[in-house]
Amino acid sequence: MKSIKNISIVVLLITFTSCVKEVPNASNYEPQVFISGFLLGGSHYVNVKIQRTVPVNVTTSEYISNAQITVFTKHSTGATTVLTDDFNYSNGNYRSADMVVGDVGSTYWVEIELEDGTIYKSDEEVLKEEITIQDVEITKDYNRVIFSDPEDDTNFYLINYLFYKNGRLALEINNLTNDVLFNGNENAIFDSTEFFIDNPDEVHVAIANLNYNTYQFYFNQFEQLESQITNSGSEDDPGQLFWPPPANLTGNIIKISDDTRALGFFGIQSSKQFVKVF
């Protein structure tokens, strides 16, 4: 089943030539804070990256240190507690000191206070259930994933393919879809036809069950990347989506002082990998 939005990102095997960059008027440029992070189902570390945007002619990143990060959870009983506020910092990346456990059905969000007192808060989002992949079919015509779609809920998915050949990662593809056409189907089918690897040794497939805001962020992110590659004719590493951070990707982060959308997102999602060896 084709998705309503089906954009693929090729991480390897593509070489782009020539490079054209537009240099902005420095006097009109205003840096903004960009936040990206995840909380996953099961037992994992929480990772958050905090940067400032830079002009497109600047190739280095401006990291933000000394931020205070707190992850909150609201249980089904309605009680709100601090999940963790203990993070280690390195080069713009904040990682929780210990693994935390994300429980399906519970609500999570992050609050970030910068050194200057500015506070950012992500939307409160529910951790959705993992998606069970039943099988993966790889042919010369399509990549197919068969899985069980939950009933009584509108689901949004990020489907990630990792193709391995001769023991090495040969290709990565990401697709977005919703379940409008197969809601509740225990044998839902998603087909991708964009890119292929002849006779891969194995393929790893994961379906991330997203909240709508995270899905929309990915949607905009993929469109921006596709536009950058198409218009510039050059992208040294298409996998580095935040290097430097995009300048127009608003997500689920609110700047508390003026109640406006900030750049970036904090995703709450479940994902389970399926491995098929050929």
Side-chain angles (χ1 to χ4, degrees), residues 20-272:
V20 178
K21 288 187 177 181
E22 178 182 354
V23 179
N25 185 338
S27 63
N28 295 329
Y29 181 77
E30 294 184 7
Q32 299 182 60
V33 173
F34 184 90
I35 298 168
S36 62
F38 295 94
L39 185 147
L40 304 175
S43 182
H44 297 277
Y45 291 101
V46 178
N47 292 281
V48 181
K49 177 179 284 188
I50 309 177
Q51 302 172 252
R52 283 190 177 87
T53 59
V54 295
V56 295
N57 61 313
V58 176
T59 59
T60 58
S61 294
E62 185 179 342
Y63 301 125
I64 296 179
S65 59
N66 299 319
Q68 177 61 46
I69 300 175
T70 306
V71 180
F72 293 89
T73 180
K74 182 184 296 182
H75 305 280
S76 56
T77 60
T80 297
T81 59
V82 172
L83 185 65
T84 183
D85 59 2
D86 188 5
F87 282 80
N88 298 320
Y89 172 81
S90 176
N91 294 329
N93 294 289
Y94 295 81
R95 177 177 173 175
S96 59
D98 299 300
M99 288 186 176
V100 301
V101 178
D103 295 322
V104 172
S106 292
T107 300
Y108 298 91
W109 67 96
V110 67
E111 294 187 10
I112 298 170
E113 183 173 356
L114 303 186
E115 195 171 20
D116 64 2
T118 305
I119 298 176
Y120 297 88
K121 177 182 179 294
S122 68
D123 293 338
E124 300 179 11
E125 296 188 347
V126 175
L127 180 64
K128 296 189 175 185
E129 64 185 279
E130 291 182 348
I131 300 301
T132 301
I133 297 177
Q134 300 172 2
D135 198 9
V136 173
E137 299 176 4
I138 306 297
T139 76
K140 65 179 182 180
D141 297 316
Y142 59 79
N143 306 315
R144 173 172 290 172
V145 182
I146 304 170
F147 61 97
S148 179
D149 182 79
E151 292 184 297
D152 303 323
D153 191 16
T154 299
N155 294 97
F156 302 92
Y157 299 130
L158 172 68
I159 303 177
N160 173 261
Y161 301 81
L162 299 174
F163 293 88
Y164 290 85
K165 190 168 184 176
N166 300 323
R168 299 180 63 182
L169 177 63
L171 179 68
E172 177 175 354
I173 300 173
N174 288 296
N175 293 131
L176 287 170
T177 187
N178 61 36
D179 67 351
V180 169
L181 299 180
F182 48 74
N183 185 34
N185 191 331
E186 294 182 357
N187 295 289
I189 295 175
F190 177 84
D191 288 340
S192 174
T193 60
E194 283 78 12
F195 299 98
F196 304 94
I197 291 294
D198 291 332
N199 302 315
D201 300 330
E202 60 185 74
V203 60
H204 299 192
V205 181
I207 300 180
N209 195 357
L210 310 175
N211 287 271
Y212 173 76
N213 285 338
T214 301
Y215 167 85
Q216 191 63 47
F217 181 87
Y218 277 124
F219 185 100
N220 295 335
Q221 181 188 68
F222 290 178
E223 281 202 329
Q224 175 169 291
L225 179 65
E226 185 178 53
S227 175
Q228 287 173 341
I229 294 174
T230 301
N231 294 331
S232 71
S234 174
E235 185 71 13
D236 294 333
D237 183 359
Q240 299 296 325
L241 300 181
F242 303 115
W243 196 270
N248 61 350
L249 290 178
T250 56
N252 65 350
I253 306 289
I254 297 292
K255 185 178 179 182
I256 297 298
S257 60
D258 55 12
D259 197 33
T260 58
R261 289 283 171 183
L263 300 182
F265 79 115
F266 184 74
I268 310 299
Q269 62 191 58
S270 292
S271 181
K272 185 176 182 180

